[in-house]
Amino acid sequence: EIECVIDTEVLEMAYRFAETHPTAENYHDVIRVYNGDFLSATSYEKWIVPLAVKYKDIFFGSVGKCCEILRKDGRFEEIDIIATKAAKIDPFNENAHIMKMRALFAMDKKKEAMAYYEYVNELFYSELGVIPSEELRAIYNEIVKGVKAIEADINNIKEDLREKSGEDGIKGAFFCEYEVFKNVYRREARMLERS
């Protein structure tokens, strides 16, 4: 007899409504309700796992559909906010990172998009030992081409190339993504041929 609101029921009702009335606002209602894994403190229980997966799928499905509608309307700032929430909930969901980078690129925030890619690249490599997908690298390469065309000022280039040094100077290994490593390797191989 006690009145109560159960978030999973609210999530499912909002999702069913959004699926029958697909608007960005309706999918936004689903996204607002979801705030992380279902019963995350007791996620080791066998009965919780399929429900946690189901609710996470509802969330990410809604994120994808909402962002697609917003993209068609040119509402990239909203996509950035939604993709940021999705990336916080699951840092290894590459689609969230792809949506965020595309939104930043569309808003002409190229430097921010490049910095975000570096963050994702470092995260995937240090935590999973993998590099981002070909799609994410393709977006990055597209952004880099746009930035190179804009930054012709030698002072900007010099500042961008300068490494930040700590108290004792620059230490540690040089970390880079595979595409950069490939180009460095090819350059070194050519230099060896000449000498």
Side-chain angles (χ1 to χ4, degrees):
E1 296 176 9
I2 299 170
E3 283 188 33
C4 60
V5 176
I6 301 171
D7 57 357
T8 55
E9 289 179 3
V10 173
L11 180 78
E12 289 190 57
M13 284 173 47
Y15 182 65
R16 281 195 298 272
F17 186 76
E19 287 289 281
T20 55
H21 303 86
T23 66
E25 287 67 30
N26 291 340
Y27 282 116
H28 226 294
D29 291 340
V30 179
I31 293 164
R32 266 191 287 273
V33 175
Y34 190 86
N35 287 310
D37 288 340
F38 176 65
L39 297 177
S40 59
T42 54
S43 60
Y44 56 86
E45 296 282 345
K46 287 182 183 177
W47 68 272
I48 292 175
V49 174
L51 290 173
V53 170
K54 174 187 173 184
Y55 298 133
K56 187 178 258 189
D57 286 348
I58 286 173
F59 171 73
F60 278 104
S62 297
V63 166
K65 290 171 183 174
C66 184
C67 287
E68 182 55 29
I69 294 167
L70 293 171
R71 185 190 63 76
K72 288 177 183 172
D73 294 341
R75 295 158 64 183
F76 299 108
E77 286 181 19
E78 292 174 65
I79 293 172
D80 183 27
I81 293 165
I82 292 169
T84 299
K85 177 179 179 173
K88 282 182 183 169
I89 285 174
D90 184 356
F92 302 108
N93 184 297
E94 204 162 39
N95 287 331
H97 299 303
I98 288 169
M99 286 183 280
K100 182 170 177 68
M101 280 189 64
R102 285 185 196 270
L104 290 170
F105 185 56
M107 291 187 291
D108 206 31
K109 295 182 176 179
K110 294 181 178 91
K111 284 195 173 191
E112 199 175 318
M114 288 172 64
Y116 188 75
Y117 175 82
E118 294 299 333
Y119 156 75
V120 172
N121 190 39
E122 174 69 26
L123 175 72
F124 276 55
Y125 191 79
S126 63
E127 296 293 324
L128 304 176
V130 298
I131 58 172
S133 71
E134 199 171 303
E135 185 179 0
L136 198 57
R137 289 195 316 268
I139 296 167
Y140 175 74
N141 289 334
E142 194 176 331
I143 293 166
V144 168
K145 285 177 190 169
V147 170
K148 282 181 184 172
I150 293 166
E151 286 194 350
D153 181 14
I154 192 68
N155 291 327
N156 286 345
I157 294 170
K158 278 172 46 180
E159 186 61 34
D160 192 45
L161 292 174
R162 183 176 295 128
E163 280 191 275
K164 306 288 185 264
S165 59
E167 292 178 17
D168 303 323
I170 299 163
K171 288 185 174 181
F174 175 68
F175 174 79
C176 63
E177 66 172 70
Y178 180 68
E179 289 300 314
V180 173
F181 173 77
K182 211 163 56 173
N183 289 327
V184 170
Y185 174 85
R186 288 174 179 163
R187 180 186 169 279
E188 291 297 319
R190 288 177 184 158
M191 296 260 306
L192 285 172
E193 284 176 14
R194 289 187 193 134
S195 58

